Amino acid sequence: MSLHYDLHSHSIISDGSLSPSELVRHAHQSGVDVLALTDHDTTDGLAEAGLEAARVGISLINGVEISVSWNKYTIHIVGLLAQVDNEILQQGLSGLREFRIWRAQEIAKRLHKAGIPDAYEGAQVYATGSIIGRVHFAKFLIEKEYARDMREVFKRFLVHNKPGYVNGQWASLEDTLRWIKAAGGIAVVAHPARYRFTATKLKLLLGEFKELGGVAMEVVSGNPTRDEIEHMSKRAQTQHLLASRGSDYHGPENAWLKMGRLQTIPASCQPVWEHEVWSSLLPAVIQQPAVVL
C-alpha cells in the first residue's frame, strides 16, 4: 500500500492557525500517513507534534522551512529529517528569529507613519509562537478594517513600495544548506513554481542548490496545475534532484487548499522518501514523541 506523504506544513508556532497537535490530528483525519511539520525558522512545535503523532498513529518527520536571500530574492528551503538539537542548525535559526523580531518592529513603525497605530501589539495577539510575521500583521489589519482580506492587505500594505514593506535580510543559500547538512538533514527547494522565475533564473538557483549539496525540490506544492507539475518534474530530472511534495498547509481558513488531496509525483521522478538517508532513518521517526534524529 502506498503512503500519503505531506512534507510541508505549518502550525501556530510560525504562521499557521492550528496548534501542532491540532495540525497532526487534522492531517491524520485527512488521510495523511507521513507528515512533516516545517514551521518558518523554528523547530519549537516538533515536540508537541511528536507526542500527538504517537497518540494518533501517524509518522511525523522533523522539518523546518528556512528563509533565504538569494540574488535579491527571498526563497525558502525546507530541511527534512534534521536533528533538532543540532547546535549549528539552532544557532542559525535563532539568528533568523532575531531578525524577524526587528523586522516586525520596523513594519509596525512604518505602518504607524502611515496612520496605523499599535500594529506591533495587534500582530502579537495573533502570534502564539516566537515568530511574528506578515500574516499576523495582515490579520490585525483585517480586524481593524483597513482591508477586507489577505489579498488586499498585502497589495495595499505589505509588498514592495507599500507602507509596511520591509526588505528581508535572510540566510544565504550556502549557510542554509550548511546548517541542514550539519544536522544530518535533507535540503529541499520549497514551492519553486511560486517564485515566477524565468527559466534561466530557476536553472541558476537549482544549479547552485545542487552544487551546495541540495537533494530535492517540491514538484508538487500546494494546489498546483498539471502544467506546473509537469514543468517542475522536468526541472527535477534535468538537475538530478529528487522530487518532494507538500501542501504548504497553514489552516482551514485557506478553503482552496485541503490536506490529504495532494497530487502524486510523476512516475518519471524519484521521490525524496526513496533517498538512502531517508530509508535508514524513517523507522526511527514513526510514532515517536519529541523525535530527535
Side-chain angles (χ1 to χ4, degrees):
M1 181 183 70
S2 61
L3 298 177
H4 188 106
Y5 290 81
D6 189 334
L7 303 179
H8 189 160
S9 66
H10 299 274
S11 75
I12 57 172
I13 301 301
S14 60
D15 60 350
S17 60
L18 299 179
S19 70
S21 295
E22 291 170 335
L23 177 69
V24 168
R25 288 196 297 272
H26 180 70
H28 179 61
Q29 293 163 2
S30 300
V32 175
D33 301 298
V34 183
L35 176 72
L37 173 57
T38 56
D39 276 316
H40 292 285
D41 304 325
T42 181
T43 59
D44 288 352
L46 288 171
E48 178 185 335
L51 290 170
E52 188 64 18
R55 192 187 71 81
V56 302
I58 187 174
S59 300
L60 181 73
I61 302 300
N62 289 347
V64 63
E65 185 173 12
I66 301 177
S67 306
V68 175
S69 292
W70 177 81
N71 283 8
K72 299 183 180 180
Y73 293 92
T74 297
I75 66 167
H76 293 145
I77 301 296
V78 166
L80 300 174
L81 296 171
Q83 299 171 358
V84 295
D85 62 346
N86 180 269
E87 184 176 354
I88 293 174
L89 174 64
Q90 292 301 335
Q91 284 181 349
L93 297 180
S94 177
L96 289 174
R97 291 194 299 273
E98 289 176 3
F99 172 74
R100 282 182 173 274
I101 292 172
W102 175 86
R103 186 182 73 154
Q105 294 170 341
E106 188 64 21
I107 289 173
K109 289 178 183 177
R110 297 186 184 190
L111 289 174
H112 184 80
K113 289 180 180 179
I116 302 174
D118 304 321
Y120 187 81
E121 292 78 9
Q124 278 187 311
V125 172
Y126 293 99
T128 302
S130 59
I131 300 295
I132 302 178
R134 293 187 301 170
V135 167
H136 304 122
F137 282 99
K139 290 180 178 180
F140 162 74
L141 291 169
I142 293 170
E143 175 199 347
K144 295 301 182 181
E145 300 183 346
Y146 290 103
R148 291 167 296 180
D149 53 33
M150 286 282 181
R151 178 172 296 185
E152 184 179 354
V153 168
F154 277 86
K155 184 177 180 180
R156 291 181 56 195
F157 297 103
L158 299 176
V159 295
H160 187 59
N161 289 329
K162 297 301 178 179
Y165 176 77
V166 177
N167 186 37
Q169 299 295 325
W170 307 109
S172 69
L173 186 61
E174 182 176 5
D175 282 345
T176 297
L177 267 70
R178 178 172 58 83
W179 301 342
I180 293 172
K181 289 190 291 183
I186 293 174
V188 182
V189 177
H191 41 64
R194 189 178 303 173
Y195 305 130
R196 305 300 178 190
F197 286 167
T198 64
T200 300
K201 194 173 295 294
L202 181 58
K203 181 180 179 180
L204 179 62
L205 168 63
L206 297 178
E208 289 186 18
F209 173 77
K210 176 74 174 180
E211 288 179 5
L212 291 169
V215 170
M217 59 182 283
E218 288 182 353
V219 168
V220 178
S221 177
N223 190 17
T225 66
R226 184 176 300 177
D227 287 345
E228 286 175 341
I229 294 175
E230 181 179 355
H231 179 61
M232 291 305 153
S233 66
K234 289 179 179 178
R235 284 290 182 180
Q237 294 171 72
T238 300
Q239 301 293 152
H240 303 290
L241 293 169
L242 302 182
S244 186
R245 73 175 194 170
S247 62
D248 196 11
Y249 186 80
H250 281 71
E253 66 275 10
N254 298 319
W256 57 274
L257 179 61
K258 298 183 183 298
M259 266 193 161
R261 298 187 181 181
L262 282 171
Q263 298 182 56
T264 58
I265 290 174
S268 56
C269 293
Q270 182 182 4
V272 67
W273 50 85
E274 293 182 1
H275 189 280
E276 58 183 5
V277 173
W278 187 290
S279 61
S280 67
L281 291 176
L282 184 58
V285 303
I286 295 178
Q287 302 177 16
Q288 294 297 319
V291 176
V292 177
L293 296 177

